[in-house]
Amino acid sequence: MSRLGSIGAKLYNGEIGYDFVAKRKFWYGVSILITITAIVGLAVSGLNMGIEFKGGAVFNTPKTSISAPQAQEYAEEASGHPAIVQKLGNDTLRIQVSELDTAQATEVKNKLAKDLNMPAAQLDAELVGPSWGAQIANKAWTGLGIFMVLVVVYLAIAFEWRMAVAALIALIHDLTITVGVYALVGFEVTPGTVIGLLTILGYSLYDTVVVFDGLKEGSAGITKQTRFTYSEIANRSLNATLVRSINTTIVALLPVAGLLFIGGGFLGAGMLNDISLSLFVGLAAGAYSSIFIATPLVADLKERDPQMKALKKRVLAKRAAAAARGESPEDDGPEQRYSAEDDADDDGPVPGAVATAGAPVVTAPRGGRGRGRSSERRR
């Protein structure tokens, strides 16, 4: 078994683990700081909307030796508006000029063809109206709203409302960060960007739902024991899927990083930047939120429940009593399933509970009510 596989097995069995839930306030602070930075960047810089949303004209040149910066200068002089120029693989240029109507586009085309020293007939021009981009944006917002509602309903039915709320907050967190990065970096927002934003929603939920499923199973019958709190079980569920989450995120990020840094950056295929940046940032933010935001939020919300508050008091009281006697929680004997009779003397463990500070390492449940108990317990 590889070293990473060995670490994953130990995390799953509760032999080692990082207490994400106990340190949640620190990670909440980090998330709030990142989110505020993204919002400030969005408010100050705004989004660099593409021509599809603002309207304008796109000019495609034949093969030319003129550089992209020189063509950009010519386009801005001819139009009086900012221009975006991309050099394509066959030495042709794609020139975008926003906020042009039909008459202006024709005039700019003639001036630009003269500056580029080519016949105007060879300069292909396309006029893009802003209404098309507005339709895309409206449909994207509609799709996003429907998606959010369906997610909340599904999680509330399949799990519980607290998990639905935590997942929704994590999704909003991921979208805010991704949009904020676009504002700070200044990349153009195109329909490809919208597609990327909608795509990352599923990735953002994937790891979160896996952890929630383990948490639901591990917390079944939790109030029938006094060895572990809800937060400790939540932490174990998170640690059990940690290596899996990291591996799947890295595998997903590698091809996207290739598109962004090699295709868009090194090779200069700027059209790849719009979708690849949203995917890259969204995937990274989704993995972060599923580990540091969603599950700790569920634990926070759940610990407000009166039953969980009472359970936590019983757990802490029992540990304090055991510490006063110089005993450890393991002295109560091996793990067993919950039963109503076991509630008083706490023979039952939490399935999948995590070893945390002051708590024992969890082993697999064993059958037999009296088997393995100390003679003092049997008396």
Side-chain angles (χ1 to χ4, degrees):
M1 182 183 293
S2 66
R3 180 176 177 83
L4 186 60
S6 176
I7 293 174
K10 290 180 179 179
L11 285 168
Y12 183 83
N13 293 325
E15 298 174 22
I16 61 174
Y18 178 83
D19 204 342
F20 296 98
V21 176
K23 297 177 175 61
R24 60 189 179 278
K25 291 184 179 179
F26 171 78
W27 296 112
Y28 289 168
V30 172
S31 296
I32 291 173
L33 180 62
I34 295 174
T35 303
I36 290 176
T37 303
I39 294 174
V40 170
L42 183 60
V44 174
S45 302
L47 291 174
N48 179 21
M49 305 302 292
I51 192 173
E52 295 86 356
F53 296 98
K54 295 187 295 186
V58 179
F59 304 98
N60 295 296
T61 71
K63 186 175 182 179
T64 179
S65 60
I66 296 176
S67 66
Q70 185 64 55
Q72 180 178 359
E73 183 180 342
Y74 289 152
E76 291 178 350
E77 288 178 357
S79 65
H81 296 285
I84 298 176
V85 180
Q86 296 171 333
K87 195 171 187 66
L88 306 182
N90 54 355
D91 289 333
T92 61
L93 297 175
R94 184 175 187 267
I95 305 170
Q96 299 182 63
V97 182
S98 60
E99 303 176 5
L100 294 180
D101 56 26
T102 303
Q104 291 173 326
T106 302
E107 184 180 351
V108 170
K109 175 182 176 180
N110 294 330
K111 290 182 180 179
L112 192 57
K114 182 178 180 181
D115 291 335
L116 296 175
N117 195 23
M118 62 181 62
Q122 294 184 6
L123 189 60
D124 184 35
E126 297 178 31
L127 192 64
V128 180
S131 58
W132 184 70
Q135 291 177 2
I136 292 178
N138 291 334
K139 290 180 180 180
W141 281 113
T142 302
L144 178 61
I146 294 173
F147 176 83
M148 293 289 194
V149 171
L150 292 177
V151 165
V152 171
V153 171
Y154 168 74
L155 291 179
I157 295 175
F159 300 102
E160 61 171 298
W161 68 267
R162 296 175 183 85
M163 293 183 179
V165 170
L168 181 61
I169 292 174
L171 280 176
I172 296 173
H173 166 272
D174 299 342
L175 288 174
T176 303
I177 290 178
T178 305
V179 174
V181 168
Y182 261 86
L184 292 171
V185 174
F187 276 16
E188 188 179 28
V189 177
T190 67
T193 305
V194 177
I195 294 171
L197 287 174
L198 295 177
T199 303
I200 65 173
L201 299 178
Y203 283 100
S204 177
L205 280 174
Y206 175 76
D207 288 335
T208 302
V209 171
V210 169
V211 176
F212 284 176
D213 185 63
L215 179 55
K216 178 183 177 181
E217 181 181 355
S219 60
I222 183 176
T223 57
K224 298 180 180 180
Q225 53 82 52
T226 54
R227 303 186 77 176
F228 305 100
T229 66
Y230 187 90
S231 293
E232 290 169 351
I233 301 170
N235 199 64
R236 165 58 194 269
S237 299
L238 192 51
N239 276 276
T241 59
L242 181 60
V243 172
R244 174 181 175 177
S245 299
I246 293 173
N247 285 339
T248 53
T249 301
I250 290 175
V251 169
L253 281 176
L254 285 176
V256 177
L259 288 174
L260 178 60
F261 298 110
I262 298 178
F266 182 73
L267 297 179
M271 290 181 292
L272 296 174
N273 289 337
D274 50 5
I275 188 170
S276 58
L277 180 63
S278 61
L279 288 175
F280 186 85
V281 177
L283 287 173
Y288 172 86
S289 65
S290 67
I291 295 172
F292 297 103
I293 303 298
T295 305
L297 270 177
V298 172
D300 263 341
L301 294 173
K302 193 72 174 180
E303 291 285 6
R304 298 173 184 269
D305 185 89
Q307 288 186 322
M308 297 301 109
K309 287 182 178 180
L311 172 64
K312 186 174 182 179
K313 289 181 180 179
R314 295 199 305 271
V315 171
L316 296 179
K318 181 179 178 180
R319 290 177 184 173
R325 296 193 305 267
E327 300 174 355
S328 66
E330 286 90 340
D331 293 338
D332 285 342
E335 314 296 347
Q336 296 188 29
R337 297 284 184 186
Y338 300 134
S339 69
E341 298 177 4
D342 290 338
D343 189 24
D345 57 7
D346 181 38
D347 292 326
V350 175
V354 67
T356 56
V361 174
V362 178
T363 57
R366 301 178 187 174
R369 178 164 174 74
R371 183 171 56 193
R373 296 178 181 239
S374 64
S375 58
E376 181 180 352
R377 293 279 294 180
R378 286 198 295 270
R379 292 196 299 271

